[in-house]
Amino acid sequence: MNRKILVLPAVAGLLVPALAACGGSDGAGGGGDAIVTGTTDRFIATKDAPAPVDPAYAYDVGSWNVLRQTVQTLMVQPRGEGEPVPEAAESCTFTDSGNERFVCKLRKDLKFSNGDAITAEDVKYSIDRALTLQADSGVFALLSTIDTIETSGDREVIFHLKTADATFPYKLSTPVAGIVNPDDYAKDKLRDGFDISGSGPYTIEPTIEDGEMVSAVFTRNPNYKGSLTVNNEKAEIRSFADADAMGAALEKGDIDVMTRSMTPEQIDKLSNSTDGSIELVEVQGLEIRYLAFDTDAPSVRDKAVRQAMAQLINRGSLVSEVYGTQAEPLYSLVPAAVTGHSNSFLNKYGDPDTAAAKALLTDADVTTPVKLTLNYTTDHYGAATKREFEVLQKQLNDSGLFDVSIKGTAWDTFIPAERNGEYEVYGMGWFPDFPDADNFLAPFLDKDNFLKSPYTNTRIRDTLIPDSRREPDRISATDALTEIQDIVAEDVPVIPLWQGKQYVAARDDITGTAYAVNASSTLQLWELNRGVGA
């Protein structure tokens, strides 16, 4: 029989009621060995990035999935999506009509995993620390609307914002706002290595080989107090060199679950398999892929060059050739199903058109063919990335207007090079920090954007982003959000390519897989159990 199951959780902004998690950590069951989840994410400490799991630095989906198991935040996105709910906090709310004063009250007797009491001052310390360090990952920008933080007694934290920000509760659910033990995290220095001191549902025991965390065992934290129900005593993340090795481990029973990144071929095979021992679950995903530009680079400084590329790329053909039914063409940074999405690139450029692209370059006196290199990472977004860039290269070169080469680089080298401005054009993916249109726009376009892009649009930064954040009802923010997307389609600091589905494959004795990954690609190990309904 076909073992594929489709799960469609509610996405914020779709007016579907939130399904909150059941509270407490006494739901653990199943006992026995750790439930092992495979991933192709790599966790490497290097000279350029020695603190990959410090909440003040980490800003990739793999590291965040480690932190979400171990570091507690004031708010958390519920298992069924919807608005964030209190986690380390007992309650959180705006206390003014302008959405500029946000107050959280901590749960009673909250403790770090080592038993130390957590106070409001620890929360203030943790968030102030991230803002002060301003790590070059750019993750601190998620908290950029904070003006000051004050405390009242041991349990109340008061955030004063610079401007209204209806998305602020979401931002308090991200690991950069995680509560860390001041005894282990210096105020003025990142914490190197892979040790983590938090109050989340698990403690961590990493296995390190040559500066790389090859696995991590998560043991249920007896001091955890929050809104999550922990359904197992022990879980493990195990890193694999590639998807084929991960798939072979699942087939042999060496691991119980596998997540990102499976190959399109693996997903097709599992989807059509009649073997009932492995179940494939499709979960609604909001992952996007895009090309980004160093708009100061000579080869792409002229907007016409970027517009011509946008005019030539055939997203439908790209998706069908590389990803099949596992992805969909994307014509904006904001994916479909998120309130505020607009097909701005389709509206402006229509179908791929070589003549129109040539006219753009001719009108701007750009000499053709334009020579440039598309850079991609070989080991972060899955094995199909190389094929994707080969297709992009062919599409652009077949026009006769471009002379494109492609270059693949390992992630631990790719990211420092991108941040140092070494690439004129490069491919990236985005897994949302939270499922709101703001998080698909501000991280790319606002001040201190994580790409460190030189592109600046003052209307977007000074007017449209602030205007959109003033609207608690996200539908009311649509006009501002649409204008942002239209400006991006005109100026082309990025070219959106596709949005992907996401999948979990698990052996048939594992329960809880429907909620193992949420729409924001958050790995929720606490949902998994072995042979017992979660």
Side-chain angles (χ1 to χ4, degrees):
M1 63 179 171
N2 189 322
R3 298 289 293 173
K4 182 176 177 182
I5 296 175
L6 175 64
V7 179
L8 295 175
V11 175
L14 292 183
L15 304 183
V16 182
L19 173 62
C22 318
S25 59
D26 56 358
D33 297 333
I35 297 173
V36 184
T37 297
T39 180
T40 58
D41 287 327
R42 298 181 66 195
F43 310 95
I44 303 173
T46 66
K47 180 181 178 182
D48 291 320
V53 293
D54 188 321
Y57 175 84
Y59 204 11
D60 66 86
V61 66
S63 297
W64 270 24
N65 280 336
V66 171
L67 289 170
R68 290 187 189 277
Q69 320 307 315
T70 51
V71 175
Q72 200 172 18
T73 48
L74 290 170
M75 307 286 286
V76 69
Q77 295 175 44
R79 70 193 309 238
E81 305 312 316
E83 300 292 327
V85 298
E87 164 59 347
E90 178 181 281
S91 63
C92 284
T93 188
F94 283 107
T95 61
D96 65 329
S97 59
N99 289 341
E100 294 182 1
R101 187 178 189 270
F102 194 75
V103 178
C104 290
K105 186 174 183 180
L106 297 181
R107 295 177 184 270
K108 290 181 180 179
D109 302 322
L110 204 63
K111 297 177 181 179
F112 289 109
S113 59
N114 68 354
D116 290 352
I118 296 176
T119 68
E121 283 295 331
D122 295 320
V123 177
K124 174 176 163 56
Y125 176 93
S126 300
I127 296 177
D128 278 342
R129 174 178 179 269
L131 288 167
T132 300
L133 286 171
Q134 293 198 2
D136 64 5
S137 65
V139 68
F140 70 92
L142 277 172
L143 305 174
S144 62
T145 55
I146 295 175
D147 185 12
T148 59
I149 307 172
E150 63 175 310
T151 62
S152 177
D154 286 340
R155 294 176 57 202
E156 190 169 84
V157 186
I158 304 155
F159 298 92
H160 299 278
L161 307 184
K162 299 172 185 175
T163 185
D165 187 359
T167 69
F168 189 65
Y170 281 110
K171 294 169 181 176
L172 289 184
S173 74
T174 62
V176 68
I179 307 166
V180 298
N181 194 328
D183 291 344
D184 298 317
Y185 291 82
K187 177 184 271 188
D188 58 355
K189 184 181 182 300
L190 293 171
R191 184 180 187 181
D192 293 352
F194 297 94
D195 291 328
I196 302 171
S197 304
S199 57
Y202 297 99
T203 60
I204 184 174
E205 184 178 342
T207 298
I208 312 301
E209 296 179 1
D210 299 323
E212 180 171 1
M213 186 176 77
V214 296
S215 68
V217 174
F218 299 92
T219 301
R220 189 166 74 95
N221 173 14
N223 289 317
Y224 170 70
K225 181 177 289 189
S227 63
L228 305 174
T229 298
V230 183
N231 290 304
N232 57 68
E233 292 292 334
K234 189 175 290 187
E236 179 181 346
I237 293 177
R238 193 174 298 173
S239 180
F240 288 86
D242 54 53
D244 289 338
M246 179 172 64
L250 182 67
E251 290 182 1
K252 289 191 298 183
D254 292 341
I255 64 175
D256 302 293
V257 182
M258 69 176 180
T259 55
R260 60 180 307 271
S261 295
M262 291 180 255
T263 65
E265 294 77 15
Q266 284 176 320
I267 294 167
D268 283 341
K269 179 182 176 181
L270 288 168
S271 181
N272 297 310
S273 175
T274 57
D275 178 4
S277 64
I278 296 176
E279 178 180 272
L280 181 69
V281 179
E282 179 185 326
V283 183
Q284 183 165 349
L286 298 175
E287 170 192 4
I288 68 169
R289 298 287 175 87
Y290 58 94
L291 292 178
F293 296 91
D294 176 354
T295 53
D296 283 346
S299 61
V300 295
R301 182 183 297 137
D302 195 315
K303 179 171 68 174
V305 174
R306 307 192 301 270
Q307 289 178 326
M309 293 176 67
Q311 184 70 72
L312 289 169
I313 290 172
N314 188 326
R315 294 167 177 79
S317 178
L318 173 68
V319 167
S320 64
E321 288 185 51
V322 181
Y323 297 101
T325 61
Q326 298 155 27
E328 298 175 354
L330 181 63
Y331 297 93
S332 167
L333 285 172
V334 180
V338 173
T339 296
H341 164 78
S342 173
N343 284 320
S344 296
F345 275 77
L346 182 62
N347 296 339
K348 181 169 178 60
Y349 299 102
D351 293 330
D353 188 330
T354 299
K358 183 176 181 180
L360 285 165
L361 296 171
T362 300
D363 291 347
D365 294 324
V366 174
T367 302
T368 59
V370 178
K371 188 172 183 178
L372 52 83
T373 300
L374 304 186
N375 293 272
Y376 67 93
T377 179
T378 57
D379 59 349
H380 192 70
Y381 298 120
T385 305
K386 180 180 179 181
R387 174 61 179 150
E388 177 181 344
F389 274 74
E390 290 171 344
V391 172
L392 288 169
Q393 178 188 33
K394 186 175 188 305
Q395 288 184 1
L396 293 169
N397 287 349
D398 282 354
S399 72
L401 302 173
F402 287 87
D403 179 7
V404 170
S405 60
I406 59 174
K407 181 180 180 182
T409 307
W411 181 251
D412 59 331
T413 302
F414 178 89
I415 281 297
E418 180 272 315
R419 289 175 182 159
N420 289 331
E422 296 177 21
Y423 299 146
E424 52 193 354
V425 191
Y426 52 97
M428 292 279 279
W430 181 251
F431 301 85
D433 308 322
F434 50 87
D436 185 277
D438 178 85
N439 192 242
F440 291 92
L441 297 171
F444 301 87
L445 305 168
D446 209 352
K447 182 183 177 183
D448 298 320
N449 66 82
F450 89 102
L451 291 176
K452 299 192 178 300
S453 171
Y455 171 75
T456 300
N457 184 286
T458 54
R459 177 158 176 78
I460 290 177
R461 291 188 179 181
D462 298 342
T463 301
L464 296 175
I465 289 176
D467 283 353
S468 72
R469 288 174 174 169
R470 290 190 182 97
E471 300 293 346
D473 178 357
R474 303 309 285 155
I475 293 176
S476 299
T478 296
D479 286 349
L481 296 169
T482 297
E483 186 176 347
I484 293 172
Q485 292 165 84
D486 289 345
I487 293 172
V488 171
E490 169 65 29
D491 292 351
V492 199
V494 298
I495 297 178
L497 297 173
W498 55 267
Q499 69 180 81
K501 302 173 184 177
Q502 58 183 358
Y503 300 85
V504 175
R507 301 197 66 81
D508 63 355
D509 64 330
I510 301 299
T511 63
T513 54
Y515 292 109
V517 179
N518 71 12
S520 296
S521 299
T522 298
L523 182 62
Q524 302 176 144
L525 293 178
W526 54 85
E527 295 285 353
L528 299 175
N529 206 341
R530 193 187 303 277
V532 178

